[in-house]
Amino acid sequence: MSTAVDIARDALRINSLKRVRKSRRFKAIDGGRKSRSTDELTLLWDSGNYKTENFYRCLRFVCDHDLLNFLKYFLQTTEGTRFILSPHHLVLADFAMKVVRGEIKRGIINLPPGTTKTELFVKSLIAWTLGENPRARFIHLSASSDLALRNSDETRTIVESEDYQKLYPETKIRKDKKAVKYWRTLQGGGVYATSTGGSVIGFRAGRMEEEFSGCIVVDDPHKPEDIFSDLRRTRQNARFTNTIRTRVAKPETPILIVMQRLHEDDLSGYLLKGGSGDVWDHLILPVIIPEENEPYPTEYTHGSPVPHGLAPGLLWEFKYDYDEIKILEADDYTFQAQFMQCPRAYGGGVFDIKKFRFYRGYDPATGEVILQDGSRVKILRKEIYADTAMKTGEHNDFSVFQCWGLGEDGHIYLLDQARGKWEAPVLKSKFLKFCEKHEYRNGEVGLGVRGRYVEDKASGTGLIQEIQLLKGKSYVKGIPRDRDKLSRARSGTIPIAEGKVYLPLDVYWIDDYLFEFRQFSPMDSHEHDDQIDPTLDAIANMLTKSSTLEKYLKIVGGKKNGRQ
């Protein structure tokens, strides 16, 4: 179905749902005139008379009247992406209109990733506003400078597009001021984009005018990997109050915070508890709308809840159905924070050790594991993973060697483990003996080791170099751990929850192994994590084809999941 016809029909649908509020642009326009314009737009498209003066006149009317129509048309024409309308989009658009009409001066919207917040509150709201008021000035901030600049670039692309220029011919970008970080219109409006930690000195959002003339839009201000650092989080929150909040032309210039929750004391939590002294209109959209409205948190002394009026059930089934939600629930903390918008205190409990599976024994001669029901699974590949301690003191971590097998059923099995505190010469000897134990030996060990991996850091680097000199470079490889431990742990919870990680049932070290997983804390309050690290390496290397894990990483691991 054509974009124009879609827009026309959605415009009528939105109008019939009575979600559209009259903006300051069209206070005197009645619904009947809008209906005639959408009907005319449909007829023009169907008759082939599109891209004409009449077509753009009708298109401008329906786009001006409703931000969602604008979003839908330009998402299709500039990015080739079809917009999937959902009831929650009507709620978001209504919130945006209240900002434009001056009813909301300070707004916080908390909703799951991938639910159109950037497309609506950054790209569309900015371009849509500049269409009527080329003097409007916006500051756009995000945790990542690259992301903020990309959003600015894509907003600029909309404004410079042929269709936009047909609709809003007076809004043109200056040729000498069109850098992606800071671009301006001929009338002095425009966008300044940077990270939440970047400099915003020298630019202010909005103007000293009565009507809406721009705002500050903060889209996901925190990097997930920084949120559990008290120092970084506190610094980011203080920066908002001390610097970002002051970059408005007048006190009434709106400030919008649009983000997924990450922590009790992230920027949303900080502001809702009175961090800046402002009172914030607060819209909460969890991935599952509850049957009954939950009490608004008493600690949000500076928050004013905005009712959404959505029916109980899934927020956007197109994006997150119950199968997808089941995947996300495996990491309970992340699910409650990023998807239900209800972060809780994060101590231990990252791993649910009840999700581990167990097997009865391993027969090295046949290369088979024996499950608890007596059935056997053939091991197709064996790999050894090592985590070496920097020091051997009483309170330092142990060095750990683990032998993992990939079964023909697609699951991985921890076949053996050695753990101790060894100085460098002994460490090398112990590692080589552990490897030799699992090498192929006729009649004794039916399957050899395919790969040996050691963390390429500190004592591990020395161990790698010594063994490569002795055995050759292909014998052992280094593992550069370029992600923080919490991110790696969160990724590991998915295959464990899926039942893809098997442990031996009756070995002397299994209680210590499980205790370490039970005590693991993102606050780094646990005593040891030496057995966790090689386990996570094995999961990452041997279960990378898990579609569930890939989906999870795509959603919460920093990669974007689609445009909406």
Side-chain angles (χ1 to χ4, degrees):
M1 185 179 291
S2 68
T3 303
V5 174
D6 280 348
I7 289 175
R9 292 179 180 174
D10 278 345
L12 292 174
R13 176 189 172 194
I14 294 169
N15 191 51
S16 68
L17 290 171
K18 297 183 179 179
R19 287 285 190 178
V20 176
R21 303 289 187 263
K22 299 293 187 290
S23 73
R24 64 183 180 83
R25 305 176 178 190
F26 296 105
K27 289 181 180 178
I29 292 176
D30 62 272
R33 181 177 167 189
K34 183 185 176 189
S35 297
R36 290 193 295 274
S37 290
T38 53
D39 285 342
E40 188 175 350
L41 184 62
T42 303
L43 290 172
L44 286 167
W45 187 277
D46 287 342
S47 65
N49 293 319
Y50 52 89
K51 304 278 183 172
T52 63
E53 183 179 347
N54 237 10
F55 170 82
Y56 284 114
R57 176 182 60 79
C58 296
L59 181 61
R60 170 156 184 176
F61 187 89
V62 296
C63 286
D64 273 352
H65 194 81
D66 180 22
L67 180 59
L68 285 181
N69 287 335
F70 180 93
L71 187 162
K72 181 169 187 174
Y73 188 82
F74 284 99
L75 189 67
Q76 176 69 49
T77 57
T78 61
E79 299 186 23
T81 301
R82 181 170 176 263
F83 181 67
I84 309 298
L85 183 67
S86 168
H88 85 278
H89 293 127
L90 308 177
V91 177
L92 296 178
D94 188 58
F95 194 99
M97 288 300 92
K98 288 179 179 177
V99 173
V100 172
R101 294 196 302 270
E103 297 172 21
I104 292 178
K105 304 298 185 185
R106 299 289 183 268
I108 293 176
I109 305 99
N110 296 138
L111 71 171
T115 47
T116 326
K117 60 181 175 59
T118 302
E119 293 293 343
L120 198 152
F121 285 101
V122 181
K123 303 174 192 176
S124 294
L125 179 60
I126 292 175
W128 184 76
T129 301
L130 288 171
E132 186 200 336
N133 183 5
R135 300 182 71 251
R137 299 188 300 195
F138 291 86
I139 293 178
H140 169 49
L141 305 173
S142 186
S144 163
S145 176
D146 289 343
L147 181 58
L149 296 180
R150 189 184 77 181
N151 292 339
S152 173
D153 180 47
E154 293 179 1
T155 305
R156 186 183 60 180
T157 297
I158 294 173
V159 173
E160 291 183 319
S161 68
E162 179 184 355
D163 284 332
Y164 185 96
Q165 289 300 311
K166 292 282 188 182
L167 295 182
Y168 308 106
E170 294 183 0
T171 303
K172 296 187 184 300
I173 298 175
R174 287 175 49 173
K175 293 182 180 181
D176 62 333
K177 291 288 184 180
K178 57 184 306 181
V180 66
K181 184 173 183 177
Y182 178 33
W183 49 272
R184 295 180 63 185
T185 64
L186 295 177
Q187 294 84 354
V191 175
Y192 183 84
T194 187
S195 69
T196 46
S199 174
V200 290
I201 303 299
F203 191 91
R204 293 183 187 275
R207 289 185 176 277
M208 298 289 289
E209 298 172 357
E210 184 178 349
E211 294 187 333
F212 180 70
S213 57
C215 63
I216 295 177
V217 185
V218 182
D219 181 12
D220 283 336
H222 301 287
K223 293 180 180 178
E225 59 266 29
D226 289 345
I227 200 64
F228 293 103
S229 166
D230 289 341
L231 178 62
R232 292 177 184 174
R233 189 180 63 253
T234 302
R235 183 184 297 158
Q236 289 169 345
N237 291 342
R239 178 173 170 73
F240 176 87
T241 303
N242 299 334
T243 304
I244 296 172
R245 185 187 176 280
T246 66
R247 308 317 298 169
V248 290
K250 58 179 182 176
E252 294 80 16
T253 299
I255 301 176
L256 287 177
I257 313 291
V258 191
M259 63 179 287
Q260 56 187 332
R261 295 301 304 272
L262 294 172
H263 189 279
E264 287 181 301
D265 296 320
D266 56 18
L267 183 58
S268 286
Y270 169 76
L271 296 175
L272 293 168
K273 295 172 186 175
S276 70
D278 299 295
V279 175
W280 297 81
D281 287 281
H282 186 202
L283 176 62
I284 307 172
L285 295 179
V287 73
I288 302 175
I289 304 298
E291 291 286 341
E292 297 182 3
N293 291 330
E294 298 180 358
Y296 192 67
T298 56
E299 64 268 27
Y300 293 167
T301 55
H302 286 62
S304 176
V306 176
H308 51 66
L310 296 173
L314 298 177
L315 178 68
W316 193 12
E317 189 171 5
F318 172 79
K319 190 76 173 182
Y320 298 113
D321 58 20
Y322 284 112
D323 289 337
E324 190 83 356
I325 287 173
K326 185 177 180 181
I327 294 168
L328 298 170
E329 286 177 329
D331 181 351
D332 184 61
Y333 177 83
T334 300
F335 179 74
Q336 293 299 326
Q338 295 187 26
F339 294 90
M340 294 304 292
Q341 311 311 313
C342 186
R344 54 174 172 74
Y346 204 166
V350 175
F351 297 98
D352 184 355
I353 65 170
K354 295 178 182 178
K355 300 295 184 180
F356 279 113
R357 298 281 185 89
F358 294 88
Y359 69 92
R360 190 195 304 171
Y362 172 58
D363 184 349
T366 62
E368 295 177 329
V369 292
I370 303 117
L371 303 182
Q372 293 191 65
D373 63 2
S375 61
R376 290 175 173 251
V377 176
K378 188 173 183 60
I379 297 298
L380 304 178
R381 183 172 92 234
K382 289 194 311 188
E383 294 179 355
I384 289 174
Y385 295 88
D387 184 79
T388 59
M390 294 183 63
K391 299 179 181 179
T392 59
E394 180 181 351
H395 298 291
N396 295 110
D397 272 346
F398 293 80
S399 291
V400 176
F401 314 138
Q402 293 176 351
C403 179
W404 287 86
L406 176 64
E408 60 185 352
D409 57 359
H411 301 159
I412 60 172
Y413 296 81
L414 179 53
L415 305 176
D416 192 16
Q417 174 176 286
R419 185 172 184 246
K421 295 186 177 183
W422 306 299
E423 297 287 353
V426 178
L427 179 65
K428 181 177 75 172
S429 173
K430 291 286 186 181
F431 180 73
L432 289 173
K433 286 182 179 179
F434 185 82
C435 292
E436 290 167 5
K437 176 182 176 182
H438 295 284
E439 298 292 358
Y440 170 78
R441 293 193 301 278
N442 189 22
E444 296 181 42
V445 181
L447 182 67
V449 177
R450 178 176 295 187
R452 303 155 200 85
Y453 303 92
V454 179
E455 181 187 13
D456 194 359
K457 183 179 179 182
S459 60
T461 302
L463 179 64
I464 294 168
Q465 294 171 348
E466 287 187 33
I467 292 177
Q468 286 181 340
L469 286 173
L470 185 65
K471 294 280 191 176
K473 288 191 175 182
S474 63
Y475 186 83
V476 63
K477 296 179 180 179
I479 297 180
R481 293 175 183 157
D482 52 2
R483 299 174 65 207
D484 65 279
K485 190 162 296 188
L486 178 58
S487 296
R488 294 174 63 240
R490 286 164 51 197
S491 301
T493 62
I494 304 303
I496 293 171
E498 289 182 310
K500 293 186 175 182
V501 182
Y502 278 74
L503 308 176
L505 190 61
D506 297 316
V507 290
Y508 70 92
W509 44 263
I510 193 63
D511 289 338
D512 285 340
Y513 181 94
L514 293 173
F515 179 79
E516 188 172 295
F517 273 83
R518 184 187 295 114
Q519 294 298 312
F520 180 81
S521 164
M523 310 306 293
D524 209 24
S525 59
H526 50 275
E527 187 174 2
H528 298 294
D529 54 28
D530 47 83
Q531 297 172 96
I532 293 174
D533 279 327
T535 298
L536 296 176
D537 290 335
I539 289 173
N541 274 17
M542 304 177 82
L543 288 175
T544 52
K545 293 184 179 180
S546 164
S547 60
T548 300
L549 179 57
E550 286 179 348
K551 282 184 179 181
Y552 175 81
L553 290 175
K554 196 174 185 181
I555 297 169
V556 303
K559 298 179 181 178
K560 290 294 176 184
N561 189 12
R563 284 292 189 182
Q564 294 189 28

